[in-house]
Amino acid sequence: MKRLERAFFDRPTLTVARELLGCALVRMLEGQRLAGTIVEVEAYIGESDRACHAARGRTPRNSVMYGLPGLLYVYFTYGMHHCANMVTEREGFPAAVLLRAVHPADGISHMMQRRGRDSLQELTSGPAKLCQAMAIDRALNGEDLTTSPCIWVEPGNPIPEGQIATGPRIGVARTGEAALYPWRFWLPDDPCVSRPRRIKST
DNA sequence: CTCTCGATGCGCT
DNA sequence: GCGCATCGAGAGA
């Protein structure tokens, strides 16, 4: 199956974020295919974005964000959760798209087992939930989505602009004006988004 | 439905 | 030490 190449990620982060909606996140685990359609993302762009992990410069933790577009940036937070991002823009410029929700497609029973839930809506409707369902953790930090045998992205049918909702990013209230940037993108009618709240369409 | 709060590891000041 | 790009349970309306 075709996968997204580096040129897809080597573009403005807001463009990549919007175009990732509708694509399929694929994870091969013990020979089994786990996959879901991306339905919610957020953009984090550069050191001037106070909500971005790179806001205070390069550190060992965020260094993958400075790497090649198409790398996977996975971080650990709240003592128990992982979140997954796809690195965007040119090497040396720290930016990425956070995966906030996918709609389960393949390997659903396996994902239910990993999550300990049997509701489709509870499987992957949040950044840490989808990582748990698809076995994404720090072992995959820095993985190259354009070449990895374990994880990649497959193109989907393009989503018309009018079907994409935009709004402020979740969980970044204490970052001054950056908290207001409308850099969250989601499909408002999908039951698997983390919050169905509809702000506006673009 | 909404809101609050505890869990729990670690990167960074 | 502090604070975190979260989640789920429990309480109350």
Side-chain angles (χ1 to χ4, degrees):
Chain A
M1 194 70 158
K2 203 168 137 186
R3 70 167 75 189
L4 297 182
E5 303 174 16
R6 195 161 333 274
F8 177 91
F9 300 98
D10 189 8
R11 293 185 298 160
T13 304
L14 297 179
T15 302
V16 176
R18 275 186 285 251
E19 293 190 16
L20 277 172
L21 295 174
C23 296
L25 175 65
V26 181
R27 168 86 166 107
M28 292 305 296
L29 188 65
E30 294 159 8
Q32 187 169 19
R33 177 187 165 102
L34 309 179
T37 306
I38 298 170
V39 296
E40 179 181 350
V41 298
E42 285 175 359
Y44 290 86
I45 311 175
E47 296 179 348
S48 59
D49 173 9
R50 281 190 52 204
C52 181
H53 282 174
R56 277 176 278 185
R58 185 172 185 150
T59 68
R61 181 207 205 195
N62 65 26
S63 64
V64 171
M65 291 187 84
Y66 289 77
L68 283 176
L71 297 186
L72 189 70
Y73 167 47
V74 182
Y75 67 90
F76 179 72
T77 190
Y78 291 108
M80 62 189 81
H81 297 304
H82 297 274
C83 294
N85 302 255
M86 297 179 180
V87 174
T88 57
E89 311 209 26
R90 69 175 195 278
E91 186 172 18
F93 183 83
V97 174
L98 170 70
L99 301 175
R100 285 199 55 93
V102 305
H103 188 117
D106 301 329
I108 290 173
S109 62
H110 192 101
M111 292 195 278
M112 286 176 171
Q113 231 172 338
R114 292 193 55 84
R115 287 276 295 130
R117 320 250 145 189
D118 57 7
S119 154
L120 255 200
Q121 300 192 18
E122 286 301 314
L123 278 195
T124 52
S125 54
K129 295 179 190 176
L130 75 87
C131 283
Q132 184 183 24
M134 301 182 81
I136 297 170
D137 61 23
R138 279 169 297 180
L140 291 179
N141 187 37
E143 195 80 359
D144 190 339
L145 294 163
T146 69
T147 59
S148 171
C150 314
I151 187 164
W152 62 86
V153 189
E154 294 173 1
N157 294 325
I159 309 289
E161 284 278 310
Q163 292 178 24
I164 299 176
T166 68
R169 295 170 291 182
I170 305 286
V172 297
R174 292 181 226 75
T175 56
E177 116 179 341
L180 305 175
Y181 301 162
W183 289 355
R184 174 180 178 232
F185 303 92
W186 71 102
L187 302 182
D189 297 328
D190 194 283
C192 297
V193 297
S194 69
R195 291 176 59 184
R197 201 168 56 115
R198 187 191 297 246
I199 306 293
K200 71 175 181 188
S201 303
T202 50

